[in-house]
Amino acid sequence: MISIAVAVNIVITLMVAGLVFWLLWWLISYIAPPEPFRKVANVVLAILAVLVVIGILLSLVNGQPIFRP
């Protein structure tokens, strides 16, 4: 069973990660680099966002820290 404190911590972490990735996505479109670089940057950013979300959700399952040094 997940405690309320852990659930609130995960929700806040997901919101902060979402805000950071949204800001990076906006920055890529605002700077407007040439098209091949923009596509590559968007794909890399999407892959990183998915990996971070998976890491955060996996921390619910086994109780380990989100990212180990």
Side-chain angles (χ1 to χ4, degrees):
M1 191 72 147
I2 299 173
S3 69
I4 297 296
V6 172
V8 168
N9 189 14
I10 294 296
V11 168
I12 290 172
T13 305
L14 283 172
M15 287 174 38
V16 169
L19 181 66
V20 167
F21 282 113
W22 174 79
L23 245 124
L24 289 173
W25 202 291
W26 175 82
L27 186 65
I28 290 171
S29 66
Y30 183 73
I31 293 175
E35 186 55 38
F37 176 74
R38 187 181 322 157
K39 271 191 180 181
V40 170
N42 282 336
V43 168
V44 168
L45 191 60
I47 291 172
L48 285 175
V50 167
L51 288 176
V52 167
V53 169
I54 288 173
I56 291 169
L57 294 177
L58 280 177
S59 71
L60 287 175
V61 175
N62 58 9
Q64 296 295 322
I66 296 170
F67 298 104
R68 285 187 257 169

